[in-house]
Amino acid sequence: PDTASRVGILRHHLGNDLVGVDLEPVAARLEGASGAAIERAVRDGRRRARRARRSMLMPDIEASLPPRTRLTDAAFRRACVHEAGHLVVGSVLAEEAGVVPLFAKVSRDVCEAVGGMTEFRRTEGFDRTRNSHLAEIAILLAGRASEELVLGSLGDGCGGMEGSDLNQATEIACNVLVSYGLGTNLGHLATDAPGKAVAAVARDPSIRASLEAMLVECLERALAILRTERFGLDRITETLSATGMAKGIGAIEVSTAASDPRPVKPATASS
């Protein structure tokens, strides 16, 4: 979750505690934390207050925040490569996917070993189709594709926790297959509530095979885009490594035009 979402999660779990208190400083320290980790911090802070037999205070939750870890050089470079991949493929497929990349951000001091994030804005009222869902899956898998292309190896940051790239990509693909009527079968086997479509797919070996084929196809598309846009990918990786931040739409064109006289490919959908 981004900063605003983290503030919202904190406020939701705090309930009537710390009403009127500015939560942004705490939310900033929770960058990279999952929703579950934020809930855990609030719960632990409330437990501290109960032990002291008083209402919750800001120091209670501050003392309950998950520890931050400093990444090694190799882990930090992987984070830069990973987020650059999201930014490049997101810029290329923004028009088709209906999600616009705003910026990518990385840090050496991390929470829950999450070294970076790429924030997107969803286009309101967008015409959601099978192609747009597949484009969004390709964007989600672009970090993994970038690691494979640039580093020749894969880290585990693409999956694992709820809300990870692989988790989100799998959710979308399963909804395409068994909820939205956009797969090979017309039947509606599950709602699109979190986890419902994944559970339905898990019970059927033939649909599981279709899921794997869809994810692999989207991963290959992300790889193809990154190979074409390798110059931009490398420049954005360097920018993230040097400054910790890179812009979204337009970042490829700006960096390419600055040093390369070749015609610039517009950041629109590709077939």
Side-chain angles (χ1 to χ4, degrees), residues 102-259:
L102 303 179
F103 62 84
K105 186 176 182 181
V106 294
S107 176
R108 282 187 179 272
D109 295 307
V110 303
C111 183
E112 291 193 316
V114 178
M117 61 169 286
T118 302
E119 186 165 334
F120 291 81
R121 180 187 70 245
R122 190 170 293 280
T123 304
E124 293 185 11
F126 189 76
D127 183 22
R128 306 295 292 170
T129 65
R130 175 184 169 89
N131 285 345
S132 72
H133 287 298
L134 295 181
E136 188 170 352
I137 294 171
I139 293 169
L140 285 164
L141 297 180
R144 178 186 176 96
S146 186
E147 291 183 33
E148 181 179 333
L149 178 64
V150 177
L151 302 176
S153 65
L154 297 173
D156 62 7
C158 184
M161 70 177 68
E162 183 179 347
S164 66
D165 297 339
L166 195 55
N167 172 247
Q168 293 183 65
T170 301
E171 283 276 2
I172 294 172
C174 288
N175 280 321
V176 167
L177 289 169
V178 300
S179 182
Y180 298 151
L182 301 175
T184 54
N185 299 315
L186 188 59
H188 181 274
L189 304 181
T191 68
D192 60 0
K196 294 291 187 180
V198 174
V201 170
R203 291 192 292 267
D204 190 315
S206 64
I207 304 180
R208 285 206 308 271
S210 297
L211 166 67
E212 183 66 16
M214 182 179 291
L215 293 175
V216 169
E217 179 183 350
C218 292
L219 177 63
E220 289 297 327
R221 185 180 188 188
L223 274 167
I225 291 170
L226 292 174
R227 291 189 186 103
T228 300
E229 301 288 357
R230 181 60 188 267
F231 182 87
L233 175 65
D234 290 342
R235 287 296 297 273
I236 292 173
T237 300
E238 292 170 10
T239 298
L240 286 170
S241 181
T243 69
M245 178 82 75
K247 295 180 181 179
I249 291 293
I252 302 173
E253 290 85 345
V254 170
S255 62
T256 304
S259 305

